[in-house]
Amino acid sequence: MRSPKARIRCADDLAEPVALPLEACLAKTRFADNLTRAGGRTVFDHCCIVGEVARMLIERMSPLLRDSLFPSGSSLIAATHDIGKVSPTFQEKIHRGIDGYVPNSLSGLAEAEPSLERGWGGHAGTSMVSMQALDSGKFIPEILGRHHGFPPSIAGQMANDKIFGGPMWQQRRAELVDHIKSELQLEFPAVTQLQALTISGLTCVADWIGSGGMFDDPALNWRTLLPDAVEAAGFVQPQLQAGLSFKEVFGFDTRSTQQLLIEQVSSPGTYILEAPMGIGKTEAALYAAYSMMVSGNATGIYFGLPTQLTSNKIHERVNAFIDRILAPESPHRQSLLLHSKSWLLDYDIGAEGGPGKSWFSTGKRGILAPFAVGTVDQALMAAMNVKHGFVRAYGLAGKVVILDEVHTYDSYTGTILDKLVALLRSLHCTVIILSATLTNERRGRFIGSGARAEDAYPLITAHHNGDDHITERTASVGTTATVKIYQTEDRTEAIEEALIRAENGQQVLWIENTVGEAQEAFSILAARTEGMDIECGLLHSRFVHADRQRIEDYWVSRYGKNNAAVRQLSGRILVGTQVLEQSLDIDADFLVTRICPSDMLLQRIGRLWRHEATPRPEGAACETWVLSADYKRALKNPESTFGSTAKIYSPYVLLRTLEVWAEIEGVSLPDDIRPLIEETYRERKDPPELQRHKAVLEQKRGILELLALQGVAKGIQTASDDRARTRYSEEENIEILLLRSIHHDKAKKGTLLTLLDNRTVFLPGAVPSGAKRVQRELAATIAQQTLHTAPYMAPPALNRNTLNWLSGYCYLGDQNEESLLRIALVGDDGSIKELDGRDASGRYRLTYNDRIGYRSIKI
């Protein structure tokens, strides 16, 4: 007979929660006709699918990446990502999604409450504590815990705790790990911190692919689906035509500066090309990238630019380049050409990459593609503590990363950029940095202490990975150009001169430092040119994407290369902001620009007489008018004297610029570029009047550097990737969706939207089975109707629940988070209203039209 104590222990054992058998633990339920049917992929099946997807992704990598970043057993780590789904809370949640299930009716789930999972980060948190209990080392539990983009909060919680189901459920999870090991025939590897970063990215991506619709039906043999699933997600190695010359790719011979860069870029490392505007830096970097790929030293290209607007036109140039280097038989040829929507629409990477989720945008997903053009921000987040930061690091590993217009970044972004370059080197990337106006100090921070303060220009600086030696090579540009400089404080005088030049058939550029100033200048010029044979246009960042692309395409076709016949039809004035100084291959006959720091001023001057073959109207002179300021007045009160410009650029740098340019009546390009920049930024003992402004700059620079370092620190809370601060601003930007009207149609079970161009689109309330591509096309259409602006200019936020009809098409924010998206209606008169018809702001009159863009005027 048993003793009383034995009987008590037996009763305790019976009181413990009963764990479901592994074959009853579901990871994914099957969806069809918008109804969840009984059955689905088990956790074991889903884990094995993801593990095998990860194995295939690793097999497609270069040997260098495989050997150094993905030790044997990495795919096992990816496979075990979802062991936390073997828990009572998750199983109760997923079973409640099955038709006819009675809550808490299964044995072992009687007391399970799914909402409690929020307290420990859901099943990812359970995976993390479970793997910690299996003593797999420091980094593997962290990889599992953050496979949804961020580390869960599980302080003090243990795998055997009742909230995770107690010892019996942990035993099931341990059994699951053993079964996965046996199925994949792998053991866990020892993992370094750098490997943990890349394996985290691998795990996320493999999970997204393994969660795709191809694996929905549990009746299908998932192993036969693996190759198609990986390729359907876009992860194919492009096939290149080897042996192409520079002329075969671009249609013209290399210049000496281009050839020097191409010769230096022979292995992964950091390369800086400093050369004047219009010298062909983009083509040099792209051909160097092609050479690296053909030699097997790189796996793809990411071309990062300062803004979305500057990246749009580079898309076309990069796509033309890729079209020439790809072999005709290269798979997914059209999708590899990263058109504005191709990566967005053609590939299926599961729920987290689907419409309405945070990763559903070309800006983010493109970083995983073999070839991509986007903002530098997406690359910067690879080095930051942001959600999915490690996915970006994984996507960049082994690629050629081209960073253009680097001179435009402040201390905040510059600090993160330094961290990014160091990370990219460790990921075996080839980093090519392009700039026309880089300071010696900035170059030294990129390349290391071995760089000399070289005054030569153009200059190529090379630092191969694993080599302490730094190479610096100079080149000659052959020809020089002289630009006349005229400075005035009188905008009216500049307006009259711009009109005279345009009347004579010249193509005029007018560049302001803020959107508001550009809109004001355009309004005056447009009114003055009414009825005249002069075209007048405006380009800035505060247009919805669809209008912005249309405007940019139109004006680049007028001011770009090989358009002599169009140029000669009429004179033109194009007004804009900094977007006109960066990456757009445009050529003006005459320039008016607001005063700005020397490096930006030189960039703007570089838009003048850019192409030798472009015909000029009779009497045209290569000349720039600078809307300047009085130095003495600015020294006493820079905020008042410089106006809005003092909010964009440091008053100290503006004052130094005024000093340097005070007596200048002409500049010789490229000979004067280096001296003007170094004289503006060199360290010196300032007169007392300037020291106060310098102290303000240094204080702000120190604060920005500290803020930037906080953004890359790993010991703080992970930021949302949609709210990550890659640029410093007193206020974060708000995304706004602008529409003409919204009509919810209950009979048709959907919503009819009227877009700004009066087209209509219908959004089904529930996406029919097999209609994912239609859903993606609708999501892409809506994205084209958005813009970003400061919060004070945005309509009020709506309750997230009132926007649920948009949730399948737009990312509205994380659960319990205020909507990241604002919605407003635009009336026939351009006024912006809330959805109930009230004015969108009580302090500003907000308007939008397709010529001026989004505008605010204080009431």
Side-chain angles (χ1 to χ4, degrees), residues 729-786:
S729 173
E730 299 294 339
E731 297 177 314
E732 60 183 316
N733 273 344
I734 297 292
E735 186 176 24
I736 306 173
L737 170 62
L738 295 180
L739 300 166
R740 291 289 182 197
S741 68
I742 301 171
H743 174 64
H744 300 295
D745 192 327
K746 292 184 179 179
K748 293 183 178 180
K749 298 181 180 179
T751 303
L752 184 70
L753 306 180
T754 304
L755 308 182
L756 294 182
D757 60 3
N758 292 316
R759 288 181 299 134
T760 59
V761 296
F762 182 75
L763 306 183
V767 180
S769 177
K772 286 186 177 180
R773 183 174 179 84
V774 174
Q775 182 189 19
R776 293 175 183 186
E777 288 173 345
L778 290 171
T781 298
I782 293 172
Q784 291 295 302
Q785 309 300 308
T786 63

Side-chain angles (χ1 to χ4, degrees), residues 47-120:
C47 286
C48 290
I49 289 168
V50 171
E52 292 296 355
V53 168
R55 195 199 302 259
M56 292 189 72
L57 291 174
I58 294 172
E59 287 172 352
R60 294 175 182 224
M61 296 175 186
S62 69
L64 179 61
L65 293 183
R66 283 202 305 267
D67 295 344
S68 62
L69 299 178
F70 299 95
S72 176
S74 294
S75 56
L76 173 62
I77 299 174
T80 56
H81 72 292
D82 265 355
I83 61 172
K85 288 185 174 180
V86 178
S87 65
T89 49
F90 183 85
Q91 288 306 310
E92 175 62 20
K93 177 172 66 177
I94 200 166
H95 278 85
R96 285 184 184 180
I98 298 175
D99 291 342
Y101 176 76
V102 177
N104 302 105
S105 59
L106 281 179
S107 177
L109 304 182
E111 298 181 1
E113 176 45 59
S115 64
L116 296 176
E117 283 196 328
R118 297 175 186 172
W120 59 84

